[in-house]
Amino acid sequence: PSAPVIPYQHSLSLPQFPGFDDLYCKFCFVYGQDWVPTAGLEEGISQITSKSDVAPTTLVWNFPIDITFKSTNPSGWPQIVVSVYGPDFFGNDVVRGYGAVHVPFTPGRHTRTIAMFVPESTSRLQKFTSWFTGRRPEFTDPRVVAQGEGREVTRVRSQGFVTISFNVVTKDMKKLGYDVSPSDMQNPSLVPVTEGIHRY
Amino acid sequence: MREKLKAARSKAEITLLQEDPSPRPRRLKSTRERKTEVRLDKASDNDKFREMQEDESHLPSKIKFRDSVKKLKQKSTFQNDFPSAEEAYNFFTFNFDPEPDSIKAGARKRNELNEEEEAEEECVETHEDEQEEDETDEDVRLVKDDDLFIIGQTAEDFLVMKPADCESYSEQLKKEKEFLFTPSMLAVPTSEKMPGNMQPRYLEDEGLYTGERPFVSQSNQNILENRILRQEKGKKGDDGKILALPNPIKQSSTRPPILSLEEGIAPELETVYRKAVKMTAANQYLVGPGDFQGPFQLDIDISGLIFTHHPCFSREHVLAAKLAQLYDQYLARKQKNLTKLLTDKLHALRNAVQCSVDGGGAGVPSPVAQQSIPEYKIEIRQTRRLRDAEQEKDRMLLKTIIKVWKQIKSLRDFQKFTNTPMKLYLRKEEVDQRSDEKTYEAEIQAEINELLEECMEEYEKKMEEYKTELQEWKSWKKTQKSKKKKKKKDIHEEESVEDCDLGEERVKPIPPKMANSLEIEQQVREKADNCRRKPGEPALIPELVLSGSITPTELCPRAEVLRREDVKKRSAFIKVLFNSKEVSRTVTRPISSDFRVHFGQIFNLQIFNWPESLKLQIYETMGVSSTSLLAEVFIPVPETTILTGSAPMEEIEFSSNQRVMLDHEGVGSGVSFSFEADGSNKMTSMTSGKVSNSVSWAVGEKGIPLIPPVSQQNTGIPSALKNIDAIASIGTSGLTDMKKLAKWAAEAKLDPNDPNNAALMQLIMVATSGEAHVPDFFRLEQLQQEFNFVSDEEFNRSKRFRLLQLRNGEVVEFRNYKQVPLHEREISEKIFQDYEKRLQERDVIDSKNYLDAHRAVVANYLQKVRESVINRFLIAKHHFLLSDLVNEEEIPSLGILGLSLFKLAEPKRPLKPRRKERKKVTAQNLSDGDIKLLVNIIRAYDIPVRKPVMSKLQQPSKSSRSFNEMFAASSSAQSPPDSADWAFNQVLVRPFVEVSFQRTVCRTTTAEGPNPNWNEELELPFRAPNGDYSTHSLQSVKDEVFINVFDEVLHDAVEDDRERGSGIHTRIERHWLGCVKIPFTTIYFQARIDGTFKVDIPPVLLGYSKEKNLGIERGYDSVRNLSEGSYITLFITIEPQLIPGESVREKFDTQEDEKLLQAAAKYEAECTSKFPSRQCLTTVIDLNGKTVFITRYIKPLNPPQELLDAVPNSSQTAAELVARYVALIPFLPDSVSFAGICDLWSTSDQFLYLLAGDEEEHAVLLCNYFLGMGKKAWLIIGNAIPEGPTAYVLTLEQSQYVIWNPSSGCFYRQYDTFCPLQNVYCLISCDNVWFNMQEYDSPVRINFDISKPKLWKSFFSRSLPYPGLCSVQPEELVYQHSDKAAAVELQGRIEKILKDKIMEWRPRHLTRWNRYCTSTLRNFLPLLEQNQGKDVEDDHQAELQKQLGDYRVSGFPIHMPFSEVGPLIEAVHSTGVHTIDVSNVEFALAVYIHAYPQNVLSLWIYIASLVRNR
């Protein structure tokens, strides 16, 4: 069957987690039933990044991800789910945040900043023990952050940001009747829409 | 003005010139000036701006004075032309502060100066500015010069030393006065504002939109105007006001408050906690949320109710009511006294006429008077007519009153009792006969005169008319006559014409009659007689009193008594409805005998909504129950001026059109009745009455009336409506209602010119013009349609959308459909075929696939139950718990903590092997080929061995065993082997195991001997249906793992003996020995299956026999030989380990007592906390999805009498028979049919009807049968292999516990090693549940004595006694008798099907059927059924040998419960009988069906292959 092919290249970078260090990140893609990844890895793990000693003490992964999807239906547009892990005070590996964002529709370069969050412990005592034992509450499946179902039972706390830049190329979208390109194709939107969300 | 300015300019120039020669004091002065200038800057920036502009125009004049002017000009123009942004802003927005006091003082003085001076001052000031700038310019230049001449010159050359000079304060003031201008604060007259010859224009009046002006205080505005006036260049509008943009400031702030807790907050920004107040924003109509002024209150006082007609009225009441009404009318008329009024008027008019006539006679007749006389006369005439009518009415009224009163009196006489206290007195007022007559006569005379006068006038008028007419007529006559004369000479024929002419002849006018004065007089007198009191007649004044006495009830006739009783029963109350919502109601008060109801209640309505309607509903109650709405009365909403205390009582009439007929004296309502004896003169009355009430606005505590604000504007609409938007005033729903919107717009008087309202106005215009279609439906999602990307028809037609929709709806066929094609054409119709077929066939019972109609019905029913359950499950699947989403470590208990601490101290043992838990995999991210089934076949015991082909007949040792014998652990009864050497001489058997799963087959190597040891691992791939690896899908996998044991037989296939030396030709045959079936779901739920299983070996294996004693002789394992049959040890698991799905957490409805359920939950919690691995079952779910307490399932039930009759003496055999009967009912695991749902328990009758069920149904039925047979029996909830969690039955037989496997019919002793039951969790009887509290749960190691509370924790105990729960089971099971004929027919059909199948499976070979053998086998089968497949093996062998002679026979009977054909075919296929491809092979196949009651069929298939021995 004919299908639009949508290759992406992403690069994960610039996590902003105040107070945390030595973070690494797992990513995976969540997509609908009509989507098939044709090339690239849909799951992966990045290197551990540490804070720089000099002035802009940001954490940088600059981890490239290449993936190509094809689909017959825009429903279930791929989302990237990012979960960040890092050692806690005792050196246990704990989760530092979950987040998800849709891959941009339009071709071009986009930057997205994902607000990350972690599930909260159900009680104070739990919180303490989980801190003490280094086994914090985690999502059974990080994919749940890409969907709404069942989320009402969870309580989460926000915890930092991850910035992802996407380079999106689409093929045959228009031929198949989906016009997602901005009206002015000469200057695809270079201004990231969500940039700076965290500043507020 | 211009001239004046010019003059001022020249003056200023002169002053400049004067000043110029003395530059000496300038520095100081200029600094001072700068100061003032700064002040001015502050005070009036715009002045400066104006001045600068003006300066520009003056500049050329200055050329005379300065050389550097050019530069200056450039600079100044540069400065002046472009006011900075700040300046501009200040100009428009600055609120000018009042000037400092000193200046004010000065200003006051200055006001006295004339304009000219002021202008001059201005100019001077500006020039000062110039100078200053010049100076700086000069300085700049000077610096440059310095640069040029600096060499060789000293400072002294340039500097002049002088003392600082000072000006006195008064001088200073004086100078200031010259420069400063203080605008007046008084209003500027409009005339001055406008240019001389122009009229002010008001744009608003012309229909142009002018926005709201920003607020500027009047004084400031005046100051500004004055200032502008001064400069003559202000931006003034056409109406003389300063131009201003509309106010840009919003009413409410839109910027959210910034709340940051970290930073210190300015005290004024700090948030203050206020207690929550009830939000009054709900008051949509009344006020906006912003300006809520407090609650408003309406006081409704309902004082009472009076019926003017009621069905219970007696005739007297009707009359009395009429009388009362008339009397009221009379009183009202009397109060108005129209007659008197009109009479007086008449007199006055007459006097006036008289006066004017007299006046005319006396002096010069004024034309005015002349004119007015006829007017007066007309008026007199009218007034007289009115008076006469009124007088007549008065008289009529009086007459009717008297008439009605007479009627009442006569009625009272007639019925001999009184119902009403009414009495009418007529007071006579004596009058002076003479004066009365006089006035009467005078009146008549006056009238006569007037009439005469009128008549005369009329007569004169008519006379006039008559005269003119006569004149005309005469002239006409003359002409006619002359014509006649002419025509007489003509021919006779013309006579006819003449006739015509004569016909047209004009009628001669009749002279008017003179009015006869006598006639008129008579008329007048007659009329006076009719409507006026005769002279001398006393004036009658009626007076109605209620002083009469009512006849007591005892004295009344029966009908009246009934009526009065009926009245007593009735009562009334009133509901108060505000905006058609009931807000309160009065108490119910009885209707009194005079049909009045007194309420006297005041309701205080606190209102938020604008009152739209106030309504009273009057209800009447009859007796105790029936309440009927009599009528509704609308009360007008009071004017805002009506306050409580000052509101008058008002009576509002109501009436109802109910038709009531009563069977007593009451007249009813809507029913005609009459007062006459003969029934004539009928009349009908409707129930009616009056409510006296008053409605007023309440007055608050401080005397403030609680009235919603009323518009201050003269529009008369509530201002609340005006200042809020449309939505707030009519509600959002109103927006869809065009009419309402238009109405609102009309009421709110929107400014049609306001651009903000443009859209609205257009809408309203369209709406009111009636062009727009007003939808007559209500739409929930108004905007939905806009988002529809295709029309509904197209949507329904499209296959793609349908596919997507079905997938989204999680329909089974499409749930995991991937990659829905993009184009319509790529979707084939086939996709839907299955689905549609399923939908169609849902209700059609297709008996084709089922040989039995009953099974077809059952299958259909099961299918429906399954669907409903699955739907329920799908819904439940979308409910999430926290634990589903978040992985959280449980809080470690103190014990665990301690243990882990202890572990820390433990010495490390790195070499000790530890079991590593396998990683569990969630089923979601799996795909085909990821999952493998690992089957480890370890060893087998007691595989049947081949018999020597020509062995002699053996005498069978039939032993009728009893339980005791069986459990005696003695094998002495077994027959010894024929000969010792036979056993060791040859290879007994070469077994191998073949595992088939999902049509994939794997086999082990061949081992030797009856106790082979393989220890091989087989790996089989697993494919989930539709590639769906979700837990839900995996649970419903129906596939089974078949583990078949075969014997590999090598036959010498060499045809020719001569070749024997050179080559080996052997043929390998495989003979099926037995099998073990394990459903995949069991493996899935158990994660691993490890144990020794009994191989299902057919009762007869032709050519094989069981090696029974071998083990004992070898002393191998004495225990193992205790039971019969072959065993195989297996280990099965899935790699990787899958996490089995959890059962649905759904709260099912129940009919159980809530307390019982709570107790059950508590009990379960207690039990599982102690033994988390042991399942505690107290409540189960029945087939309708309701929670039922488990003991309700256990109840003694009668087994089929047929079975009991078969063996009347032996209870053991009967028990076995019953167990077999139960086992014959086909097995259908719940987990397959109701995937993911916890067990559904059907009752025994349902089970017998469905003929399919799980272990628990079998167990319940068997337990009930045992109880019915008088045994002690319990249900065991436990764990068994390979079933997993299951239910068994425990009986107590002669102080021994026997464990029954209900689905196979086998029974085991408690200490039986091969008992498949591994763990016992709880026991259930009909009245209690016991939980196993013992350390071990293996049946071998536990004590079944439930009377010991330490070992068995009971649910019902002394603290919670058994409440006597009634059973869900039927009283008695009714069995259908077995249908033998149908069984025979079915038998034939199955045989044919199987034979066809076997031939089908052998496509390359000829399949011969040995009829002789078949008939022999057919004879065996009933025998087998009779003996339940025991101890008949040797008979068969012998019999066959005898009959067939030289044949090598291999074959076996298969016994199954019959459910469907499919499994039969599968079973026959799996034995592989058909695989023999010897050329001369023959087959034999026989089927026997034994029908048990309730259509339970025991099916035997005997299949054999025969090879002739050569």
PDB file of all heavy atoms in Angstrom, chain B residues 780-797:
ATOM      1  N   LEU B 780     -26.468  19.987  20.898  1.00  0.00           N
ATOM      2  CA  LEU B 780     -25.597  19.935  22.066  1.00  0.00           C
ATOM      3  C   LEU B 780     -24.219  20.505  21.749  1.00  0.00           C
ATOM      4  O   LEU B 780     -23.713  21.360  22.436  1.00  0.00           O
ATOM      5  CB  LEU B 780     -25.478  18.490  22.532  1.00  0.00           C
ATOM      6  CG  LEU B 780     -24.863  18.318  23.908  1.00  0.00           C
ATOM      7  CD1 LEU B 780     -25.744  18.951  24.952  1.00  0.00           C
ATOM      8  CD2 LEU B 780     -24.685  16.856  24.220  1.00  0.00           C
ATOM      9  N   GLU B 781     -23.654  20.003  20.669  1.00  0.00           N
ATOM     10  CA  GLU B 781     -22.344  20.518  20.304  1.00  0.00           C
ATOM     11  C   GLU B 781     -22.511  21.354  19.041  1.00  0.00           C
ATOM     12  O   GLU B 781     -22.533  20.832  17.935  1.00  0.00           O
ATOM     13  CB  GLU B 781     -21.363  19.372  20.075  1.00  0.00           C
ATOM     14  CG  GLU B 781     -20.979  18.703  21.364  1.00  0.00           C
ATOM     15  CD  GLU B 781     -20.146  17.479  21.121  1.00  0.00           C
ATOM     16  OE1 GLU B 781     -19.010  17.644  20.667  1.00  0.00           O
ATOM     17  OE2 GLU B 781     -20.624  16.379  21.375  1.00  0.00           O
ATOM     18  N   GLN B 782     -22.640  22.601  19.270  1.00  0.00           N
ATOM     19  CA  GLN B 782     -22.990  23.467  18.158  1.00  0.00           C
ATOM     20  C   GLN B 782     -21.908  23.504  17.090  1.00  0.00           C
ATOM     21  O   GLN B 782     -22.178  23.679  15.929  1.00  0.00           O
ATOM     22  CB  GLN B 782     -23.211  24.876  18.668  1.00  0.00           C
ATOM     23  CG  GLN B 782     -24.277  24.954  19.694  1.00  0.00           C
ATOM     24  CD  GLN B 782     -24.234  26.256  20.410  1.00  0.00           C
ATOM     25  OE1 GLN B 782     -23.981  27.270  19.805  1.00  0.00           O
ATOM     26  NE2 GLN B 782     -24.488  26.241  21.692  1.00  0.00           N
ATOM     27  N   LEU B 783     -20.710  23.318  17.547  1.00  0.00           N
ATOM     28  CA  LEU B 783     -19.614  23.506  16.603  1.00  0.00           C
ATOM     29  C   LEU B 783     -19.200  22.206  15.944  1.00  0.00           C
ATOM     30  O   LEU B 783     -18.324  22.186  15.109  1.00  0.00           O
ATOM     31  CB  LEU B 783     -18.422  24.119  17.323  1.00  0.00           C
ATOM     32  CG  LEU B 783     -18.747  25.449  17.976  1.00  0.00           C
ATOM     33  CD1 LEU B 783     -17.600  25.906  18.823  1.00  0.00           C
ATOM     34  CD2 LEU B 783     -19.069  26.493  16.934  1.00  0.00           C
ATOM     35  N   GLN B 784     -19.847  21.124  16.373  1.00  0.00           N
ATOM     36  CA  GLN B 784     -19.420  19.820  15.873  1.00  0.00           C
ATOM     37  C   GLN B 784     -19.438  19.791  14.357  1.00  0.00           C
ATOM     38  O   GLN B 784     -18.527  19.299  13.720  1.00  0.00           O
ATOM     39  CB  GLN B 784     -20.339  18.741  16.441  1.00  0.00           C
ATOM     40  CG  GLN B 784     -19.978  17.329  16.038  1.00  0.00           C
ATOM     41  CD  GLN B 784     -18.555  16.969  16.400  1.00  0.00           C
ATOM     42  OE1 GLN B 784     -18.137  17.150  17.530  1.00  0.00           O
ATOM     43  NE2 GLN B 784     -17.806  16.489  15.434  1.00  0.00           N
ATOM     44  N   GLN B 785     -20.479  20.351  13.809  1.00  0.00           N
ATOM     45  CA  GLN B 785     -20.641  20.224  12.377  1.00  0.00           C
ATOM     46  C   GLN B 785     -19.480  20.856  11.624  1.00  0.00           C
ATOM     47  O   GLN B 785     -19.085  20.368  10.569  1.00  0.00           O
ATOM     48  CB  GLN B 785     -21.950  20.870  11.960  1.00  0.00           C
ATOM     49  CG  GLN B 785     -22.472  20.295  10.666  1.00  0.00           C
ATOM     50  CD  GLN B 785     -23.952  20.548  10.514  1.00  0.00           C
ATOM     51  OE1 GLN B 785     -24.500  21.436  11.141  1.00  0.00           O
ATOM     52  NE2 GLN B 785     -24.593  19.777   9.671  1.00  0.00           N
ATOM     53  N   GLU B 786     -18.965  21.879  12.185  1.00  0.00           N
ATOM     54  CA  GLU B 786     -17.858  22.549  11.498  1.00  0.00           C
ATOM     55  C   GLU B 786     -16.646  21.654  11.392  1.00  0.00           C
ATOM     56  O   GLU B 786     -15.827  21.804  10.505  1.00  0.00           O
ATOM     57  CB  GLU B 786     -17.477  23.819  12.253  1.00  0.00           C
ATOM     58  CG  GLU B 786     -18.511  24.900  12.087  1.00  0.00           C
ATOM     59  CD  GLU B 786     -18.121  26.128  12.845  1.00  0.00           C
ATOM     60  OE1 GLU B 786     -16.911  26.345  13.041  1.00  0.00           O
ATOM     61  OE2 GLU B 786     -19.021  26.874  13.243  1.00  0.00           O
ATOM     62  N   PHE B 787     -16.546  20.729  12.320  1.00  0.00           N
ATOM     63  CA  PHE B 787     -15.368  19.889  12.320  1.00  0.00           C
ATOM     64  C   PHE B 787     -15.578  18.591  11.560  1.00  0.00           C
ATOM     65  O   PHE B 787     -14.678  17.793  11.447  1.00  0.00           O
ATOM     66  CB  PHE B 787     -14.939  19.598  13.752  1.00  0.00           C
ATOM     67  CG  PHE B 787     -14.376  20.805  14.421  1.00  0.00           C
ATOM     68  CD1 PHE B 787     -15.133  21.545  15.300  1.00  0.00           C
ATOM     69  CD2 PHE B 787     -13.093  21.218  14.129  1.00  0.00           C
ATOM     70  CE1 PHE B 787     -14.616  22.670  15.893  1.00  0.00           C
ATOM     71  CE2 PHE B 787     -12.580  22.342  14.727  1.00  0.00           C
ATOM     72  CZ  PHE B 787     -13.341  23.064  15.602  1.00  0.00           C
ATOM     73  N   ASN B 788     -16.764  18.361  11.095  1.00  0.00           N
ATOM     74  CA  ASN B 788     -16.994  17.182  10.278  1.00  0.00           C
ATOM     75  C   ASN B 788     -16.277  17.382   8.952  1.00  0.00           C
ATOM     76  O   ASN B 788     -16.557  18.333   8.224  1.00  0.00           O
ATOM     77  CB  ASN B 788     -18.487  16.997  10.022  1.00  0.00           C
ATOM     78  CG  ASN B 788     -19.188  16.460  11.244  1.00  0.00           C
ATOM     79  OD1 ASN B 788     -18.542  16.067  12.210  1.00  0.00           O
ATOM     80  ND2 ASN B 788     -20.490  16.453  11.204  1.00  0.00           N
ATOM     81  N   PHE B 789     -15.360  16.464   8.646  1.00  0.00           N
ATOM     82  CA  PHE B 789     -14.614  16.670   7.421  1.00  0.00           C
ATOM     83  C   PHE B 789     -15.289  16.017   6.231  1.00  0.00           C
ATOM     84  O   PHE B 789     -14.990  16.325   5.104  1.00  0.00           O
ATOM     85  CB  PHE B 789     -13.166  16.208   7.561  1.00  0.00           C
ATOM     86  CG  PHE B 789     -13.018  14.833   8.128  1.00  0.00           C
ATOM     87  CD1 PHE B 789     -12.918  13.745   7.286  1.00  0.00           C
ATOM     88  CD2 PHE B 789     -12.990  14.637   9.493  1.00  0.00           C
ATOM     89  CE1 PHE B 789     -12.787  12.489   7.803  1.00  0.00           C
ATOM     90  CE2 PHE B 789     -12.868  13.371  10.008  1.00  0.00           C
ATOM     91  CZ  PHE B 789     -12.764  12.295   9.163  1.00  0.00           C
ATOM     92  N   VAL B 790     -16.193  15.084   6.509  1.00  0.00           N
ATOM     93  CA  VAL B 790     -17.012  14.567   5.418  1.00  0.00           C
ATOM     94  C   VAL B 790     -18.448  14.500   5.915  1.00  0.00           C
ATOM     95  O   VAL B 790     -18.698  14.525   7.109  1.00  0.00           O
ATOM     96  CB  VAL B 790     -16.585  13.149   4.973  1.00  0.00           C
ATOM     97  CG1 VAL B 790     -15.334  13.183   4.154  1.00  0.00           C
ATOM     98  CG2 VAL B 790     -16.441  12.234   6.160  1.00  0.00           C
ATOM     99  N   SER B 791     -19.330  14.415   4.995  1.00  0.00           N
ATOM    100  CA  SER B 791     -20.735  14.319   5.388  1.00  0.00           C
ATOM    101  C   SER B 791     -20.983  12.931   5.957  1.00  0.00           C
ATOM    102  O   SER B 791     -20.219  11.997   5.741  1.00  0.00           O
ATOM    103  CB  SER B 791     -21.623  14.556   4.183  1.00  0.00           C
ATOM    104  OG  SER B 791     -21.412  13.561   3.236  1.00  0.00           O
ATOM    105  N   ASP B 792     -22.067  12.825   6.679  1.00  0.00           N
ATOM    106  CA  ASP B 792     -22.353  11.569   7.353  1.00  0.00           C
ATOM    107  C   ASP B 792     -22.556  10.430   6.367  1.00  0.00           C
ATOM    108  O   ASP B 792     -22.126   9.300   6.606  1.00  0.00           O
ATOM    109  CB  ASP B 792     -23.603  11.714   8.225  1.00  0.00           C
ATOM    110  CG  ASP B 792     -23.286  12.494   9.481  1.00  0.00           C
ATOM    111  OD1 ASP B 792     -22.076  12.697   9.725  1.00  0.00           O
ATOM    112  OD2 ASP B 792     -24.208  12.895  10.191  1.00  0.00           O
ATOM    113  N   GLU B 793     -23.203  10.750   5.266  1.00  0.00           N
ATOM    114  CA  GLU B 793     -23.466   9.684   4.286  1.00  0.00           C
ATOM    115  C   GLU B 793     -22.147   9.152   3.747  1.00  0.00           C
ATOM    116  O   GLU B 793     -21.910   7.946   3.674  1.00  0.00           O
ATOM    117  CB  GLU B 793     -24.310  10.196   3.105  1.00  0.00           C
ATOM    118  CG  GLU B 793     -25.646  10.769   3.493  1.00  0.00           C
ATOM    119  CD  GLU B 793     -25.592  12.266   3.636  1.00  0.00           C
ATOM    120  OE1 GLU B 793     -25.460  12.945   2.605  1.00  0.00           O
ATOM    121  OE2 GLU B 793     -25.668  12.769   4.768  1.00  0.00           O
ATOM    122  N   GLU B 794     -21.308  10.103   3.415  1.00  0.00           N
ATOM    123  CA  GLU B 794     -20.026   9.701   2.869  1.00  0.00           C
ATOM    124  C   GLU B 794     -19.232   8.894   3.891  1.00  0.00           C
ATOM    125  O   GLU B 794     -18.575   7.917   3.576  1.00  0.00           O
ATOM    126  CB  GLU B 794     -19.245  10.947   2.462  1.00  0.00           C
ATOM    127  CG  GLU B 794     -18.282  10.718   1.337  1.00  0.00           C
ATOM    128  CD  GLU B 794     -17.593  12.012   0.987  1.00  0.00           C
ATOM    129  OE1 GLU B 794     -18.257  13.068   0.976  1.00  0.00           O
ATOM    130  OE2 GLU B 794     -16.394  11.962   0.734  1.00  0.00           O
ATOM    131  N   PHE B 795     -19.361   9.336   5.103  1.00  0.00           N
ATOM    132  CA  PHE B 795     -18.653   8.672   6.187  1.00  0.00           C
ATOM    133  C   PHE B 795     -19.133   7.233   6.312  1.00  0.00           C
ATOM    134  O   PHE B 795     -18.346   6.312   6.488  1.00  0.00           O
ATOM    135  CB  PHE B 795     -18.903   9.438   7.480  1.00  0.00           C
ATOM    136  CG  PHE B 795     -18.077   8.964   8.638  1.00  0.00           C
ATOM    137  CD1 PHE B 795     -16.762   9.363   8.761  1.00  0.00           C
ATOM    138  CD2 PHE B 795     -18.615   8.128   9.584  1.00  0.00           C
ATOM    139  CE1 PHE B 795     -16.007   8.925   9.812  1.00  0.00           C
ATOM    140  CE2 PHE B 795     -17.852   7.687  10.640  1.00  0.00           C
ATOM    141  CZ  PHE B 795     -16.552   8.092  10.750  1.00  0.00           C
ATOM    142  N   ASN B 796     -20.440   7.056   6.198  1.00  0.00           N
ATOM    143  CA  ASN B 796     -20.970   5.706   6.349  1.00  0.00           C
ATOM    144  C   ASN B 796     -20.654   4.840   5.135  1.00  0.00           C
ATOM    145  O   ASN B 796     -20.552   3.627   5.242  1.00  0.00           O
ATOM    146  CB  ASN B 796     -22.486   5.757   6.552  1.00  0.00           C
ATOM    147  CG  ASN B 796     -22.828   6.368   7.883  1.00  0.00           C
ATOM    148  OD1 ASN B 796     -22.038   6.293   8.821  1.00  0.00           O
ATOM    149  ND2 ASN B 796     -23.982   6.994   7.981  1.00  0.00           N
ATOM    150  N   ARG B 797     -20.531   5.487   4.003  1.00  0.00           N
ATOM    151  CA  ARG B 797     -20.302   4.718   2.801  1.00  0.00           C
ATOM    152  C   ARG B 797     -18.862   4.224   2.721  1.00  0.00           C
ATOM    153  O   ARG B 797     -18.587   3.163   2.192  1.00  0.00           O
ATOM    154  CB  ARG B 797     -20.632   5.591   1.582  1.00  0.00           C
ATOM    155  CG  ARG B 797     -21.422   4.832   0.537  1.00  0.00           C
ATOM    156  CD  ARG B 797     -21.629   5.664  -0.704  1.00  0.00           C
ATOM    157  NE  ARG B 797     -22.118   6.990  -0.435  1.00  0.00           N
ATOM    158  CZ  ARG B 797     -21.509   8.096  -0.865  1.00  0.00           C
ATOM    159  NH1 ARG B 797     -20.395   8.008  -1.550  1.00  0.00           N
ATOM    160  NH2 ARG B 797     -22.021   9.265  -0.614  1.00  0.00           N
TER     161      ARG B 797
END
